[in-house]
Amino acid sequence: MDGIGLGENNQGINPFANAEMPNLKSLLDGKSLFKETAPFHGDHASLVAVDPNVGVDGLPQSATGQAMLLTGVNISAELGYHYGPKPNPAVAEFLKDGTLFSRFVKAGKKTALLNAYPPRYFDGIDSGKRLYSSIPLAVTNAGLNLFRHEDFLAGRALSADFTGAGWRTMLGFPDAPVTDEHQAGRKLASLAKEYDFSLFEYWASDYAGHHQEMDKAVELMETFDGVLGGLVEAMDDEMLVLITSDHGNMEDLSTRRHTDADVPALVIGEKIAREEFTRDMKSLIDVAPAIWNMVIEN
Ligand SMILES: [Zn+2]
């Protein structure tokens, strides 16, 4: 989830202090995604704080943040800066090889990005008007296809807004299938079961942070909570779910910029696996090695 940090429990600035999120709270023993909640190891979920700044000055950005999540390399330190939102050639170089997607493909594992992209996205890429962001760039560099409109209709991929409502209201597909949050969460779990490693990217949170829209951000997080409920209900004992972010933003609506806050690593699944998975997780560059080990060892 783009642009979600662990902020203060402050209703004036943090949507997590205002949103009704019963499913999240039941995972965190009544708490929410606040700085003060981490570290947490409960019966169903763990929460650790992850540093997105990685020792580099300036505010963390999406291209480097996502690239570090996918590679485990301290790209911001190697370049000397954080960069985003889309990768420049220097960041893109790190995404040619050595990402989770390319490494899992080479290891014979089944992997995918579960988002469905609309026709106009591919039109933009093909015409050169749109650049891939770090995650789809890593996916395509690994020789994998991005899911398209027909995959969405066939139920092989999920809409970026979870429910599919945006395909009707924003993308010009009045007949697109729309589901509720709960079913979207169940769908996410059933799609994930098909793969050794899959990722779903959600960016409306960063957008809401930049626009400093409390009502919109609360609405998005309440939708996300419904998804979380369906996901937890439909996941099986073999699955480990990680919800994390590339940098903070939405948790502090007093600024339209990104923040330097730690980001959450909210992990749902079997307790011993969660503890092993989060044991050495301190910054963004620790996430990819933890995912790699979990998939390869299990
Ligand atoms: Zn941003």
Side-chain angles (χ1 to χ4, degrees):
M1 298 179 78
D2 199 315
I4 290 192
L6 291 170
E8 310 289 338
N9 184 358
N10 176 342
Q11 291 187 313
I13 59 170
N14 190 347
F16 286 105
N18 295 310
E20 296 283 338
M21 303 187 75
N23 294 307
L24 177 68
K25 287 179 180 169
S26 83
L27 293 171
L28 295 173
D29 289 357
K31 303 182 185 89
S32 190
L33 286 183
F34 298 128
K35 189 158 73 175
E36 67 207 31
T37 310
F40 171 88
H41 291 283
D43 288 340
H44 306 290
S46 298
L47 176 68
V48 296
V50 170
D51 169 34
N53 300 291
V54 295
V56 175
D57 287 345
L59 292 172
Q61 301 296 334
S62 288
T64 39
Q66 293 168 12
M68 290 191 284
L69 280 170
L70 290 173
T71 59
V73 176
N74 194 333
I75 296 168
S76 291
E78 293 205 17
L79 299 177
Y81 53 85
H82 300 290
Y83 194 81
K86 302 290 176 75
N88 63 6
V91 177
E93 193 64 31
F94 287 93
L95 295 167
K96 284 191 172 154
D97 214 349
T99 69
L100 286 173
F101 290 109
S102 67
R103 293 179 66 198
F104 283 135
V105 166
K106 279 184 198 144
K109 298 289 179 183
K110 223 180 152 201
T111 180
L113 176 62
L114 300 176
N115 294 69
Y117 291 84
R120 76 178 188 197
Y121 177 86
F122 296 99
D123 292 344
I125 295 289
D126 293 343
S127 69
K129 287 192 183 128
R130 180 194 283 270
L131 285 176
Y132 282 130
S133 59
S134 286
I135 293 170
L137 180 60
V139 169
T140 54
N141 281 345
L144 299 162
N145 291 320
L146 298 174
F147 286 128
R148 293 171 175 264
H149 182 216
E150 50 267 38
D151 298 300
F152 173 56
L153 294 179
R156 290 187 291 266
L158 206 63
S159 173
D161 65 355
F162 295 118
T163 63
W167 286 74
R168 292 189 179 186
T169 57
M170 292 162 76
L171 299 175
F173 291 94
D175 302 326
V178 175
T179 184
D180 65 23
E181 297 88 339
H182 187 84
Q183 289 304 324
R186 292 190 62 91
K187 180 78 196 172
L188 191 52
S190 74
L191 290 173
K193 281 176 197 169
E194 304 282 314
Y195 300 96
D196 297 296
F197 167 71
S198 60
L199 191 149
F200 179 76
E201 187 185 9
Y202 182 80
W203 54 82
S205 37
D206 190 54
Y207 190 87
H210 285 302
H211 288 79
Q212 296 172 278
E213 298 169 330
M214 178 62 80
D215 290 350
K216 181 68 182 170
V218 167
E219 184 190 322
L220 293 177
M221 290 307 99
E222 291 181 349
T223 296
F224 163 63
D225 192 69
V227 174
L228 193 58
L231 176 64
V232 169
E233 183 183 280
M235 63 187 281
D236 63 33
D237 298 342
E238 299 288 299
M239 283 178 71
L240 204 61
V241 173
L242 166 67
I243 296 159
T244 192
S245 189
D246 47 0
H247 55 75
N249 179 354
M250 197 200 75
E251 81 288 354
D252 181 359
L253 295 180
S254 71
T255 168
R256 58 177 292 277
R257 308 183 69 197
H258 295 171
T259 70
D260 63 0
D262 284 346
V263 297
L266 174 66
V267 187
I268 308 160
E270 194 272 324
K271 192 169 191 192
I272 294 168
R274 272 191 276 125
E275 285 172 353
E276 184 191 324
F277 186 69
T278 55
R279 189 175 301 128
D280 300 318
M281 206 173 272
K282 299 198 169 39
S283 89
L284 282 193
I285 60 170
D286 302 322
V287 174
I291 292 172
W292 177 261
N293 288 337
M294 191 56 62
V295 171
I296 295 299
E297 308 282 317
N298 294 277

